[in-house]
Amino acid sequence: MGKIQFLPGILVPILAFSGALAAESKIVQFDVDAQSASSGIREFAQQAGVPILAPSEVVSDKRINAVGGTMEVEQALKLMLRGTKINYKVDRGAIILSQLDQSIGTAALPFPVAMQAEADNRLSAPAATREPEVEIVVTGSRVARNGFEAPTPMTVLTAEEMSLSASPNVADALNKLPILRPSLTASSTTSNSNYSGGNYLDLRGLGANRTLVLVDGKRFVSSIVEGPTDINVIPQALIAGVDVVTGGASAAYGSDAVGGVVNLRLDHNLEGVRATLQGGITDHNDHRNYLASLAVGQGFSGGRGKLLLSVEAAQNSGVFSLSRRDWGRDQRGAIANPAYTATNDEPRNLLVNNALRSNTSYGGVINSGPLKGIQFAPDGSAIPFQYGDLVTSRTMMGGDGAYADINSIIETPTKRRSGYGRLSYELSDSLSAYAEGSWAQADTTTLSTTREDTSIRVTPDNPFLPQSVRTAMAQQGLGSVTVGRYNRDYGTGTYYLRNKTVRGVLGLEGEIGGWNWDAYYTHGDTKNSRAGRNIRNNEHYAFAVDATTDPLTGAAVCRNVGARAAGCIPLNIFGDGAPSPQSIGYVTGDTSWRVGHLTQDAAALSVRGKPLSLWAGPLSVAGGIEYRRDSAVVTMDELTANGIFATGTSVPWAGHVNVKEAFAEVLVPLAENVSWAQSLNLDLAGRLTDYSTSGTVNTWKVGGNWNVNDVLRFRTTLSRDIRAPSLSELYSGTVQGRQDVLDPVLNRTYQVLISTKGNAGLKPEIANTFTAGVVFSNLLIPGFRASIDYYDIKVKDAIAAITFRSIVDRCYRDQPALCSLITRGANTEITDVQASPQNLQSLKARGIDFEASYTAHIGEGSLSLRTIVSYLNHISYNDGLVETVLDGSLLTPLAIGVNGQPKWRAMGSATYELNRATFHMSTRYIGAANISNLYTGKDLDKLRVSPVAYVDLSASYALIDGDKTTAELFVAVQNAFDTAPPATDGARGTEPAVYDLIGRTYTAGLRLKF
């Protein structure tokens, strides 16, 4: 394809064309710049793979719009011709252009019918006359080629596909893909003040820190010191589509692309105005959300310049209580089984509803000694504590005890704002300049873990103690009693998190002697701040809970004289709601804060071209150099730094990493149009990376594409990929404390100073990734496409934090390298253990991905079907001593890292378009899974959860459907059958990183284009 002949009065691309798939319904990845209509239409025809007949008087003196992204040919054609006064018609597999006010048909063509027949014969030329398609750059490779021909498996979502779900955040739409695990979302990290409210993508469940997020193929500044980028701070109003590369791509893009790459493509071709306004709510009158976005694109200087602007505001009220759901009110949890013994058939734990504490209550309960079983009513009086069933020292089913998740929330409230601008200009036919800037702010509110005290020592002289208990203590001769209390009335702190990101890009791109080049500089700045309110001050609490009576005044005072002089106010713990506002103000603080300031400066120069032709076609080459500097400075208040507050402990630190890289990629055509292959290509890529912290490391990729015929294609890749340690893993400050350690040398236990900090000696993780797959086009029925891909990922030297006890134990057992983290004094006792992250783990993941799509005209409309299935054969991590197998389980040992997931996950969708109406249904399937692969029948009575399916529905209607103006109303229902998450022993009685906790959600809105 690509050969152009000029006939009298007409421009005719000589293109081979398969009639099996209607021209207008083909899905193609386009990259056509704004230019003259005569050259632009020719380039469009080459990329689309369809013939276009264009009379010269129609295209002369006109310019077409730029078109980029993956979409149907007809959709791309509309974008390209918008505002040009050029009309089109599809006739016998060809696209025929005419003036907007001219009827289209044979009579309108300025040449005889005989000549048209001659052109039609040329349009159906045999495959042997084809030339390579026009070339475009696709995610996962630096070499230009058609998006469907990339050797690395890639899933593409267009903006139109994502809009069918009416998700207010692009991360919500992406996390429905089976290849992504929603590990870090607003509903899975509600009590983690580092990640709460964020949306961090996690390909294959290998950890968000092993998924590289790009914007228009460029890195985005990290959102947190742990490394990943929060999708909430990326401007979303202009996203045209998302490419998800499900294989290693470090040779193309550098570090972190172990699980793959998610590239958010912005719509640089927008002309006019695009706006969305929508709102949503659940059956329970929560998760109230809205989205308002506006994007404007305007060309100037005859199409040589382009200005893009967008603003966006979105808010979600969250779900601030577990009790707002029926399944949350069940008070699920695992309790100890009192009937268990090591020799009988009873399990150690039981999964039940009404899983309560037997040693704490909301108002306090005496949980030991002869007065055990006395609790304190809201008015402070002593009443009997009702024990439930299956009572053990810590748990029971039913009764008056506290529920550990009583203050847990289902989803954190979030609010985000963003603005984006881009200015580009063609300085000449071969040189363009561009500048872009973005600002985004995401705010969220979350709760800390509620303070639960199981052993508060209370003496008889405590003035808040009921007289009846004081008398009973005297009768029993007790000098004190032990009280357990779950402090829901004051012990839950609130954290206000703000993530603000500013980013700018300056770039030049052009063409010299047949070589395309691109150079840019980008600066990103993120301030991730956390402010704590009502956070318990451990020192003040210890003083305030130990109350006595002032012998002079008879007033309740703190026992410690020094604390009393410093303003200590005694705390009444007897009864839910008993603490006074003054005492709460003393034992909690509003001064806790932490700020992480991250910056990224990056510059790159890349070139691509075809320096020579080989026996099977042109050799395609890409290469370039990059420089990047990432830095972080973390500061906080003095009390937080000294560990005075009960939650959120952190210490100041700072660090930076400089990275220098050089890369190259070559696409070698080995065969074309031979008896056994339409084409056979070899893809070779390499990257040399130098880290200022760990030295030089190389990554590479070898890939192959074998197009057997129009139906069958094979693809494979073998790559080496890396993940560099995050700034937090390298430089986080030292936190010290004393802990009991069993010394295997001296064979005794004693207290040792434990120092937890970063490790500047970490080196990059190394991953070896293999993929192999087959792609079918128009197999059995026209319009059907499918792909099956196998992947195998092995990571060595994976970075993991290791506990101080494991360091001591394994130093003397099987890993002597860990002994360097242990310091002994002159008396041979251990004096210090450095518990820092180490390159100790190995990871494994392998499985199969299947994707299929079908498009056909049904009745008066068109039907599109799509399914994506992911089968996880194996995923595990090995810490050098024990391998933990996670496939087919829900075990979530890490907030950011490798976690369990069901073996089967799938999604399927059906979309029917009829005139102005569109109807859509999608189903998400999560297969059965073990609660934990580590459990046996002796560990838990319920070992497995059943499959879960969610159904989403949506419909839209175009009130206005013009060439330049459209107005569309839409409605959607997520989780239409309000399917509840299954019960497990995980957080909040289920597994938030796998299942939907929100329930049925309704959305309605309006989309405008003009």
Side-chain angles (χ1 to χ4, degrees):
M1 289 186 287
K3 187 175 181 180
I4 306 298
Q5 285 194 1
F6 291 89
L7 300 181
I10 189 167
L11 177 70
V12 182
I14 306 300
L15 300 172
F17 177 71
S18 171
L21 187 63
E24 68 272 22
S25 65
K26 286 182 65 178
I27 297 177
V28 178
Q29 183 162 350
F30 290 96
D31 186 11
V32 180
D33 293 330
Q35 56 190 289
S36 67
S38 59
S39 62
I41 291 170
R42 175 176 57 189
E43 186 175 348
F44 182 92
Q46 292 172 314
Q47 294 187 22
V50 298
I52 298 180
L53 308 180
S56 57
E57 63 268 23
V58 173
V59 299
S60 62
D61 299 323
K62 291 187 175 66
R63 290 182 65 84
I64 54 96
N65 304 307
V67 180
T70 302
M71 63 191 81
E72 290 187 351
V73 171
E74 187 169 14
Q75 178 189 1
L77 189 64
K78 288 180 179 180
L79 293 173
M80 183 180 71
L81 299 179
R82 180 182 295 165
T84 63
K85 297 184 178 180
I86 299 175
N87 203 353
Y88 73 92
K89 178 181 179 180
V90 179
D91 186 14
R92 287 178 293 171
I95 295 173
I96 305 171
L97 304 184
S98 69
Q99 298 287 355
L100 188 61
D101 57 351
Q102 182 179 352
S103 61
I104 306 247
T106 301
L109 298 176
F111 53 87
V113 173
M115 186 173 288
Q116 181 184 353
E118 178 184 356
D120 287 345
N121 289 335
R122 293 181 180 181
L123 292 173
S124 58
T129 67
R130 297 177 186 170
E131 292 186 6
E133 292 186 8
V134 88
E135 296 177 335
I136 57 178
V137 175
V138 299
T139 303
S141 171
R142 296 283 184 167
V143 169
R145 79 193 79 174
N146 182 279
F148 291 109
E149 301 300 318
T152 303
M154 182 168 67
T155 296
V156 177
L157 286 180
T158 65
E160 289 74 17
E161 287 176 309
M162 290 187 290
S163 70
L164 292 172
S165 66
S167 298
N169 193 309
V170 67
D172 298 334
L174 291 174
N175 276 323
K176 294 178 180 180
L177 294 174
I179 51 181
L180 280 158
R181 186 182 192 271
S183 302
L184 299 174
T185 67
S187 60
S188 65
T189 58
T190 54
S191 61
N192 189 313
S193 61
N194 289 331
Y195 315 111
S196 187
N199 273 299
Y200 302 90
L201 302 179
D202 181 2
L203 276 169
R204 301 213 182 282
L206 292 174
N209 53 353
R210 297 185 180 93
T211 298
L212 178 60
V213 174
L214 304 173
V215 177
D216 279 338
K218 299 178 178 65
R219 284 180 176 266
F220 207 86
V221 60
S222 296
S223 302
I224 51 178
V225 294
E226 288 79 8
T229 298
D230 184 2
I231 301 301
N232 288 342
V233 297
I234 295 176
Q236 300 182 17
L238 269 168
I239 291 178
V242 181
D243 302 330
V244 183
V245 179
T246 53
S250 289
Y253 295 109
S255 175
D256 304 336
V258 173
V261 173
V262 178
N263 182 31
L264 307 177
R265 291 180 284 103
L266 302 185
D267 186 0
H268 295 171
N269 308 307
L270 176 66
E271 283 289 341
V273 178
R274 184 171 69 204
T276 299
L277 180 64
Q278 68 181 64
I281 197 170
T282 69
D283 279 332
H284 306 275
N285 193 28
D286 52 25
H287 185 71
R288 295 182 297 275
N289 62 87
Y290 75 82
L291 167 67
S293 69
L294 177 69
V296 180
Q298 178 63 55
F300 59 92
S301 297
R304 301 182 73 90
K306 186 66 173 287
L307 175 65
L308 291 169
L309 298 171
S310 74
V311 292
E312 184 175 26
Q315 189 164 336
N316 185 341
S317 67
V319 184
F320 224 61
S321 174
L322 197 61
S323 64
R324 296 191 63 87
R325 296 295 182 271
D326 291 341
W327 58 268
R329 289 189 291 271
D330 288 340
Q331 298 185 324
R332 301 169 172 177
I335 65 171
N337 181 4
Y340 164 81
T341 69
T343 57
N344 66 12
D345 294 331
E346 292 288 330
R348 178 182 289 105
N349 295 303
L350 304 171
L351 196 59
V352 300
N353 291 339
N354 297 315
L356 306 181
R357 299 296 200 214
S358 62
N359 63 342
T360 64
S361 71
Y362 304 125
V365 58
I366 299 175
N367 55 26
S368 64
L371 301 186
K372 177 181 177 181
I374 295 176
Q375 67 171 326
F376 303 97
D379 63 0
S381 61
I383 61 174
F385 180 78
Q386 298 297 321
Y387 286 94
D389 299 322
L390 305 173
V391 179
T392 61
S393 62
R394 177 65 166 152
T395 61
M396 62 186 179
M397 184 175 69
D400 289 345
Y403 178 51
D405 284 321
I406 190 65
N407 281 344
S408 292
I409 60 179
I410 291 178
E411 180 186 41
T412 53
T414 57
K415 179 172 66 175
R416 58 186 178 89
R417 307 285 186 270
S418 69
Y420 172 85
R422 188 179 197 271
L423 179 65
S424 60
Y425 193 81
E426 295 179 14
L427 301 173
S428 69
D429 291 340
S430 59
L431 179 63
S432 298
Y434 61 91
E436 62 183 67
S438 64
W439 170 91
Q441 180 173 294
D443 296 280
T444 190
T445 303
T446 190
L447 301 180
S448 72
T449 303
T450 300
R451 296 297 92 194
E452 182 182 24
D453 301 302
T454 60
S455 55
I456 305 171
R457 183 176 180 271
V458 177
T459 57
D461 62 340
N462 189 305
F464 303 115
L465 188 67
Q467 182 58 47
S468 60
V469 177
R470 190 176 295 113
T471 300
M473 292 177 66
Q475 293 172 348
Q476 296 289 335
L478 299 177
S480 66
V481 292
T482 301
V483 172
R485 194 177 195 275
Y486 193 92
N487 304 296
R488 68 175 179 179
D489 48 7
Y490 81 91
T492 305
T494 302
Y495 283 111
Y496 300 92
L497 311 178
R498 169 167 292 177
N499 199 335
K500 184 165 66 176
T501 298
V502 179
R503 180 175 181 261
V505 182
L506 295 173
L508 292 170
E509 54 190 8
E511 185 267 336
I512 299 177
W515 288 82
N516 295 310
W517 61 272
D518 178 26
Y520 70 87
Y521 164 76
T522 177
H523 173 78
D525 187 289
T526 291
K527 285 189 176 179
N528 190 311
S529 60
R530 181 192 73 193
R533 300 292 181 266
N534 194 40
I535 310 301
R536 192 163 87 175
N537 182 311
N538 288 329
E539 286 188 350
H540 284 188
Y541 167 78
F543 293 137
V545 76
D546 186 16
T548 188
T549 301
D550 188 325
L552 298 178
T553 65
V557 294
C558 301
R559 188 182 305 276
N560 186 285
V561 176
R564 189 189 314 169
C568 178
I569 300 174
L571 182 71
N572 182 0
I573 64 170
F574 304 106
D576 189 13
S580 68
Q582 294 80 11
S583 62
I584 292 176
Y586 175 74
V587 300
T588 63
D590 293 339
T591 61
S592 173
W593 61 267
R594 185 194 66 186
V595 174
H597 186 190
L598 298 95
T599 60
Q600 181 183 85
D601 290 277
L605 170 65
S606 62
V607 297
R608 65 180 188 272
K610 299 177 180 179
L612 64 133
S613 292
L614 303 178
W615 62 92
L619 179 75
S620 299
V621 176
I625 54 175
E626 296 181 359
Y627 171 81
R628 186 173 75 254
R629 177 186 172 91
D630 291 302
S631 64
V633 178
V634 179
T635 56
M636 69 283 303
D637 67 283
E638 185 177 354
L639 294 180
T640 296
N642 291 328
I644 302 301
F645 288 117
T647 58
T649 298
S650 185
V651 294
W653 60 271
H656 70 271
V657 174
N658 297 327
V659 186
K660 294 175 286 186
E661 300 182 281
F663 64 89
E665 186 171 2
V666 180
L667 180 64
V668 184
L670 300 178
E672 184 174 20
N673 296 323
V674 294
S675 60
W676 49 273
Q678 279 189 353
S679 65
L680 176 64
N681 297 317
L682 177 66
D683 187 9
L684 304 173
R687 177 178 289 257
L688 188 66
T689 304
D690 179 69
Y691 290 98
S692 60
T693 54
S694 56
T696 302
V697 63
N698 65 79
T699 55
W700 48 263
K701 179 182 73 174
V702 178
N705 255 315
W706 177 21
N707 285 288
V708 180
N709 49 43
D710 288 334
V711 175
L712 181 63
R713 177 165 66 91
F714 296 97
R715 61 187 178 189
T716 186
T717 63
L718 180 64
S719 65
R720 168 165 288 187
D721 306 289
I722 61 172
R723 180 184 84 85
S726 69
L727 292 171
S728 174
E729 290 167 328
L730 288 168
Y731 299 115
S732 61
T734 302
V735 177
Q736 292 186 320
R738 303 194 72 84
Q739 298 286 343
D740 287 336
V741 170
L742 172 62
D743 187 340
V745 174
L746 302 179
N747 195 28
R748 59 187 177 88
T749 298
Y750 52 91
Q751 283 209 330
V752 170
L753 182 66
I754 308 300
S755 302
T756 304
K757 62 178 182 179
N759 180 3
L762 290 172
K763 57 185 180 180
E765 302 175 350
I766 304 294
N768 292 312
T769 302
F770 171 73
T771 68
V774 58
V775 180
F776 303 97
S777 300
N778 300 314
L779 179 67
L780 301 179
I781 55 175
F784 176 77
R785 293 180 177 181
S787 65
I788 303 174
D789 290 282
Y790 169 81
Y791 66 90
D792 188 322
I793 303 171
K794 296 183 176 69
V795 184
K796 68 177 183 178
D797 296 329
I799 299 167
I802 184 169
T803 67
F804 62 90
R805 291 189 177 92
S806 291
I807 290 172
V808 175
D809 177 58
R810 291 162 61 178
C811 158
Y812 300 102
R813 183 187 299 187
D814 58 358
Q815 291 185 310
L818 293 176
C819 296
S820 62
L821 304 175
I822 300 172
T823 302
R824 289 186 180 272
N827 61 355
T828 72
E829 287 188 351
I830 297 174
T831 58
D832 182 72
V833 178
Q834 302 288 330
S836 56
Q838 304 291 320
N839 289 103
L840 283 177
Q841 280 192 352
S842 62
L843 312 176
K844 295 179 182 178
R846 61 177 179 269
I848 297 173
D849 294 329
F850 171 78
E851 183 171 353
S853 64
Y854 173 69
T855 303
H857 292 285
I858 306 294
E860 296 297 320
S862 63
L863 175 68
S864 298
L865 304 176
R866 188 178 189 183
T867 185
I868 302 174
V869 180
S870 179
Y871 171 69
L872 180 64
N873 177 257
H874 179 83
I875 187 168
S876 66
Y877 68 87
N878 190 316
D879 63 3
L881 185 64
V882 176
E883 182 181 42
T884 301
V885 178
L886 294 165
D887 53 273
S889 83
L890 303 176
L891 182 64
T892 304
L894 302 170
I896 181 168
V898 179
N899 290 299
Q901 51 192 308
K903 283 183 173 289
W904 289 98
R905 295 186 67 198
M907 67 172 291
S909 65
T911 305
Y912 186 68
E913 298 181 56
L914 178 64
N915 299 322
R916 294 187 175 195
T918 300
F919 306 93
H920 176 76
M921 181 179 75
S922 66
T923 300
R924 292 170 284 146
Y925 172 84
I926 300 172
N930 297 327
I931 291 177
S932 171
N933 291 339
L934 302 176
Y935 290 168
T936 69
K938 286 294 290 181
D939 296 299
L940 192 67
D941 62 326
K942 179 183 178 182
L943 298 177
R944 194 166 175 82
V945 298
S946 300
V948 175
Y950 303 102
V951 176
D952 304 330
L953 305 171
S954 68
S956 63
Y957 184 79
L959 301 172
I960 303 173
D961 191 20
D963 289 333
K964 293 184 178 181
T965 303
T966 63
E968 180 184 63
L969 284 173
F970 62 91
V971 294
V973 183
Q974 303 292 316
N975 192 355
F977 297 108
D978 202 24
T979 303
T984 76
D985 64 346
R988 288 160 280 169
T990 186
E991 184 40 66
V994 177
Y995 300 106
D996 178 8
L997 274 60
I998 307 302
R1000 183 162 47 233
T1001 304
Y1002 307 95
T1003 303
L1006 174 67
R1007 300 187 186 101
L1008 298 173
K1009 294 181 182 179
F1010 55 90

